[in-house]
Amino acid sequence: MIQAPRSLILITVDCLRADHVGFLGYKRATTPFLDTIARESFVFSKAIAAGAPTYYSLPGILASRYPLALGREVLGIAPDEETLPSVLRDFGFQTAAFSAANPYISARFGYDQGFDCFRDFLESGQIEFPEENIPTSFRARANRAVASTCHQVPGLGQIYDELYFEYCQRIGSGRAASFEALRKFPSADVIVDHAISWLDEHAGGPFFLWLHLMDPHAPYYPKPEALDAMGASSSAQQARYLNSYWARGDIGPERLRRKRDKVIALYDAGIAWADRQIRRLGERLVELNQWDNCALAITADHGEEFLDHGGRFHAPVKLTEELIHVPLVLRIAGNRDRRHITTPFGLIDLAPTLLDVLGLPAPASFRGRSRWLQAASGKEWQKPVITECVHGCSNPFFSEKRIAPRILAVRSQSHKLVLDFASNSEQLFDLECDPQERNALNPAEAIAVRQELLQHAWKHLAESQKSRDFDRRFESQLRDLRIEWAHSAPSPN
Ligand SMILES: [Zn+2]
């Protein structure tokens, strides 16, 4: 008999794809601590994000709501929307979030709602609006003129690009001081330090703690100790070169592939560092006598691509497995064996499942359903999992980017149907025969499966329309407007 735990810890690791953790079969030792936990936990080997990337995934995790359910233009958590932290706070939990400076996880997008303590490490208090930075100096203009001339001669443009890239890396940018100086996000040790300080004050009562770690996120500048431990030591200079090479827009997959393994080593070291810090958090919980009082859920918002389908990073232009299949491990004291759940589990179901684990009801607004009873009793369930995003919306700070057509994936145990409304394409994959999604089935094949998954897709779209909460949508639009007004207000003299 498993007793309901008193508290809950949720850890989301940004960009952590399922096939890069040891407990799901990865060969490199990225997650020794999580592997140990997995031996006495519920391991969901087919956990699927409700959307990708971060801003399309987190509403599913925290609010059990599909990312586009309020309308494509609405981003983040809507004002007063019920979420895992808000529900738990209403039940008397102390709530805290420490998020490693992902600009989409901020108060601007409603992520502070429900938290007594919310730290997003975006210290300036302002989110940077990425913009095209076109240098205008004489040298830059002259360089553009030379580049343009070279690109008019067949073969010369490529040679020029190569020389210019090497020049920029080896001479133009100077020496890279250190990994610390190059890193864009606070590393997991910083986040865990803050979490431990908070726990030292609040571990006595019921609490909900959420950590969002960015260590595997690009640019890939892990802790050098983690690289050394993996036997993949690198200098900061080499790491900067690899990151710049990997971000190149002027070369194709063939040439990018030459550096792929080295880039993956940097990414894996980020995972290893997150794992090591989660261990430290666990050790502190043991010291505080709280380790067995907490349910611990560890998952990811989405995965990361390393040319699996020709791309890099995690832009929402496809919903392939490396982008939406994430690890999910759930440790609950009292359970001493590994429980392997192979039914596809949508992260839309995570928040109601976690509430159920704590013995608490989920609010009516949650679209997912608890799978706790089925998981605990070893029963399977049959419901295809939905994932959606807006095609090409890689920078949702620009609201016009949010309005593009949707991509929708429906995944069953064996098949996956992907509807891309941008290209009006429909692809069905047999994931048992073709787990890498290399060859979509011919339209004449698996007709019954195709029809069944199509029906689920239409049902999802119809429910999204029917259940749309126009008040919340309006409130979210107002929030966006207020921020835009605040940005455009004349600054005081
Ligand atoms: Zn993310």
Side-chain angles (χ1 to χ4, degrees):
M1 179 68 186
I2 298 174
Q3 293 250 318
R6 195 161 59 142
S7 298
L8 173 64
I9 298 177
L10 170 64
I11 300 176
T12 45
V13 183
D14 213 294
C15 299
L16 177 53
R17 48 189 277 173
D19 58 358
H20 277 242
V21 296
F23 58 92
L24 293 178
Y26 194 45
K27 293 284 178 281
R28 185 179 257 158
T30 47
T31 52
F33 181 61
L34 297 188
D35 300 346
T36 310
I37 288 185
R39 283 187 217 123
E40 52 177 36
S41 295
F42 293 82
V43 175
F44 296 78
S45 60
K46 286 182 187 150
I48 306 291
T54 312
Y55 36 94
Y56 294 131
S57 175
L58 281 177
I61 295 174
L62 290 184
S64 186
R65 194 240 307 146
Y66 288 107
L68 311 182
L70 293 175
R72 282 170 298 170
E73 70 276 33
V74 172
L75 215 68
I77 303 297
D80 296 326
E81 182 168 16
E82 285 183 291
T83 59
L84 189 56
S86 76
V87 171
L88 290 173
R89 186 158 75 172
D90 289 347
F91 277 107
F93 284 56
Q94 291 283 320
T95 56
F98 299 96
S99 168
N102 184 321
Y104 303 114
I105 307 175
S106 61
R108 180 202 161 146
F109 294 116
Y111 283 97
D112 58 335
Q113 287 170 205
F115 287 108
D116 300 308
C117 167
F118 181 82
R119 281 289 311 273
D120 59 16
F121 296 86
L122 296 160
E123 302 304 7
S124 65
Q126 276 220 310
I127 295 161
E128 281 177 36
F129 284 74
E131 55 190 330
E132 284 264 291
N133 198 4
I134 299 170
T136 52
S137 67
F138 171 74
R139 209 160 74 171
R141 280 192 316 239
N143 180 39
R144 279 207 300 279
V146 174
S148 159
T149 309
C150 289
H151 275 274
Q152 284 163 20
V153 181
L156 193 57
Q158 203 182 1
I159 294 168
Y160 169 83
D161 288 344
E162 200 57 41
L163 287 172
Y164 185 63
F165 175 77
E166 296 295 334
Y167 164 78
C168 288
Q169 292 306 308
R170 294 175 197 280
I171 301 159
S173 350
R175 280 213 72 75
S178 66
F179 279 84
E180 307 298 325
L182 292 164
R183 195 170 300 125
K184 199 173 159 194
F185 307 102
S187 48
D189 48 306
V190 176
I191 304 303
V192 167
D193 279 348
H194 281 80
I196 285 176
S197 297
W198 185 85
L199 277 174
D200 287 347
E201 296 286 315
H202 298 92
F207 65 85
F208 170 53
L209 175 65
W210 174 38
L211 305 187
H212 187 81
L213 307 178
M214 293 289 280
D215 301 69
H217 195 289
Y220 310 111
Y221 292 116
K223 284 278 183 176
E225 300 97 294
L227 272 173
D228 295 346
M230 281 189 344
S233 302
S234 161
S235 69
Q237 189 81 9
Q238 287 165 330
R240 188 178 67 182
Y241 178 87
L242 285 169
N243 274 286
S244 302
Y245 189 92
W246 195 244
R248 286 177 74 173
D250 60 321
I251 56 175
E254 279 295 288
R255 290 183 54 210
L256 286 167
R257 204 170 291 280
R258 294 176 196 165
K259 310 282 185 202
R260 180 175 177 268
D261 290 350
K262 287 184 173 166
V263 172
I264 287 179
L266 296 174
Y267 166 79
D268 283 346
I271 301 171
W273 187 252
D275 179 83
R276 201 191 289 194
Q277 298 309 313
I278 296 170
R279 173 195 291 269
R280 201 159 62 84
L281 183 77
E283 286 165 354
R284 187 66 186 143
L285 284 162
V286 170
E287 288 165 8
L288 291 167
N289 258 333
Q290 295 300 319
W291 179 238
D292 283 338
N293 286 335
C294 298
L296 173 64
I298 299 158
T299 187
D301 55 349
H302 54 82
E304 185 81 333
E305 188 180 1
F306 293 98
L307 303 175
D308 307 64
H309 290 88
R312 293 157 283 169
F313 312 114
H314 48 263
V317 291
K318 55 192 149 192
L319 292 173
T320 41
E321 290 293 279
E322 64 273 10
L323 294 177
I324 66 170
H325 183 196
V326 291
L328 171 60
V329 59
L330 173 59
R331 182 191 184 272
I332 294 160
N335 174 61
R336 293 288 169 223
D337 309 310
R338 174 171 168 145
R339 308 274 204 102
H340 197 177
I341 292 126
T342 56
T343 309
F345 177 91
L347 291 191
I348 196 89
D349 292 334
L350 183 61
T353 300
L354 293 176
L355 286 174
D356 207 4
V357 164
L358 297 168
L360 301 173
S365 62
F366 280 16
R367 282 288 297 280
R369 291 291 164 258
S370 170
R371 302 295 177 195
W372 175 226
L373 272 181
Q374 288 139 308
S377 59
K379 291 199 181 110
E380 303 228 318
W381 60 91
Q382 295 293 334
K383 190 172 181 215
V385 172
I386 299 273
T387 309
E388 62 185 9
C389 67
V390 167
H391 189 283
C393 181
S394 49
N395 188 346
F397 283 117
F398 302 116
S399 45
E400 68 275 8
K401 283 236 170 196
R402 302 179 195 168
I403 311 298
R406 172 190 321 238
I407 313 177
L408 180 64
V410 191
R411 193 195 192 288
S412 69
Q413 180 70 266
S414 57
H415 288 78
K416 179 171 166 186
L417 180 73
V418 184
L419 305 175
D420 186 338
F421 292 90
S423 59
N424 269 327
S425 68
E426 173 200 316
Q427 291 187 302
L428 180 67
F429 296 93
D430 180 339
L431 294 178
E432 281 175 358
C433 300
D434 178 22
Q436 313 287 325
E437 300 163 283
R438 294 274 165 244
N439 301 299
L441 295 177
N442 188 296
E445 292 177 284
I447 289 173
V449 175
R450 189 184 297 267
Q451 278 176 346
E452 190 204 330
L453 295 183
L454 258 180
Q455 269 175 9
H456 278 283
W458 297 139
K459 196 166 158 232
H460 167 74
L461 291 172
E463 277 176 9
S464 285
Q465 281 285 344
K466 205 170 67 189
S467 64
R468 183 155 296 167
D469 185 330
F470 286 93
D471 289 343
R472 290 241 156 84
R473 179 187 183 170
F474 180 63
E475 285 295 328
S476 305
Q477 288 166 332
L478 266 185
R479 178 178 65 194
D480 271 12
L481 271 181
R482 278 195 291 271
I483 288 160
E484 273 169 36
W485 288 336
H487 275 283
S488 59
S491 51
N493 290 324

